[in-house]
Amino acid sequence: MSGASLRQALWHPHVNRVNAPPALRDWLTSGGSLTARLIAHSAAFRVQRLHQRRAPCLADEAGALKLPRAVQVLEREVLLRCDDTPVVFAHTAVPLSASASDWPLFGGLGERSLGSTLFYDPQVARGELEFARIRAGHPLMERARAALDLDLAGETVLYARRCLYRRHRGVLLVTEVFLPPVAALARRDATPAPTNNTK
């Protein structure tokens, strides 16, 4: 596979096309707010903002945003942490043509969750999920590796999903790359299975 093709992921409308392990498939396809689900799976959930700035639009997100590949977007990248363990690397791209009225809270999110604003705003329309395998050489794999130092050195594939959101005339593309520790998370309020003490 060439270096140019590694920099673009193949996005599919059905999760079956990415052959994700069962534990990750459940996370990839879950509906509702990912933030709310991660909170339910941890004692302490935190958003670690890596940056929010203008940056070139990634090659495989330009089509989804209907933008020329050479243009810049407003980019936000964060790590979502459960009990201080990073479990999701999230990347958001917003065209510079979006106005403050389209996404009024985006500029001031800081270390608050973007999902907490998207899912509780009745004016936000959510598109369909798409799924991909992110390989070494893809910008999001390399950025996740850099954010985590060497924690991903042995990982050759990460599984990701993305979704396009619309509000007024604005669009916003959120990509969530699931890191290996997410598969081990268990609900904090899960009821233990009954035990049979009969001898």
Side-chain angles (χ1 to χ4, degrees), residues 50-123:
L50 301 174
H51 67 253
Q52 187 162 324
R53 64 193 179 199
R54 288 190 178 199
C57 185
L58 298 185
D60 57 359
E61 68 188 11
L65 290 167
K66 295 183 169 36
L67 294 174
R69 284 178 56 178
V71 303
Q72 288 198 326
V73 294
L74 182 59
E75 175 183 273
R76 172 180 166 89
E77 292 184 343
V78 303
L79 286 174
L80 306 183
R81 292 178 172 269
C82 289
D83 303 317
D84 208 37
T85 298
V87 293
V88 175
F89 173 80
H91 166 91
T92 301
V94 182
L96 296 181
S97 59
S99 69
S101 64
D102 291 330
W103 304 109
L105 299 177
F106 187 78
L109 278 173
E111 296 209 327
R112 287 183 296 159
S113 164
L114 174 61
S116 64
T117 66
L118 292 177
F119 277 87
Y120 302 106
D121 184 341
Q123 298 184 71

Side-chain angles (χ1 to χ4, degrees), residues 5 8 22 25-26 40 62 64 71 76 79 88 91 100 105 140-141 149 160-161 173:
S5 60
Q8 296 192 50
R25 178 190 173 105
D26 181 55
V71 303
R76 172 180 166 89
L79 286 174
V88 175
H91 166 91
L105 299 177
L140 297 185
M141 171 70 93
D149 297 322
R161 70 180 190 181
L173 184 65

Side-chain angles (χ1 to χ4, degrees), residues 5-199:
S5 60
L6 284 173
R7 294 184 61 80
Q8 296 192 50
L10 295 175
W11 291 92
H12 304 283
H14 199 286
V15 72
N16 285 352
R17 297 291 301 276
V18 299
N19 296 316
L24 278 177
R25 178 190 173 105
D26 181 55
W27 283 95
L28 286 165
T29 58
S30 65
S33 167
L34 178 61
T35 296
R37 190 174 188 204
L38 290 174
I39 288 172
H41 283 72
S42 59
F45 170 79
R46 181 167 77 91
V47 177
Q48 178 190 348
R49 190 177 82 159
L50 301 174
H51 67 253
Q52 187 162 324
R53 64 193 179 199
R54 288 190 178 199
C57 185
L58 298 185
D60 57 359
E61 68 188 11
L65 290 167
K66 295 183 169 36
L67 294 174
R69 284 178 56 178
V71 303
Q72 288 198 326
V73 294
L74 182 59
E75 175 183 273
R76 172 180 166 89
E77 292 184 343
V78 303
L79 286 174
L80 306 183
R81 292 178 172 269
C82 289
D83 303 317
D84 208 37
T85 298
V87 293
V88 175
F89 173 80
H91 166 91
T92 301
V94 182
L96 296 181
S97 59
S99 69
S101 64
D102 291 330
W103 304 109
L105 299 177
F106 187 78
L109 278 173
E111 296 209 327
R112 287 183 296 159
S113 164
L114 174 61
S116 64
T117 66
L118 292 177
F119 277 87
Y120 302 106
D121 184 341
Q123 298 184 71
V124 173
R126 188 186 190 203
E128 297 296 323
L129 288 171
E130 294 183 302
F131 309 92
R133 292 159 63 96
I134 305 295
R135 299 180 181 276
H138 191 282
L140 297 185
M141 171 70 93
E142 302 312 312
R143 294 180 193 185
R145 281 179 168 169
L148 299 171
D149 297 322
L150 298 177
D151 287 0
L152 293 175
E155 300 296 330
T156 58
V157 173
L158 294 176
Y159 296 88
R161 70 180 190 181
R162 72 181 186 184
C163 187
L164 191 70
Y165 295 84
R166 299 180 182 277
R167 188 180 189 277
H168 298 173
R169 295 186 178 182
V171 294
L172 176 153
L173 184 65
V174 179
T175 303
E176 295 155 338
V177 181
F178 291 83
L179 306 176
V182 78
L185 293 179
R187 283 189 66 91
R188 292 284 169 165
D189 59 356
T191 303
T195 56
N196 186 348
N197 294 322
T198 304
K199 295 184 179 179

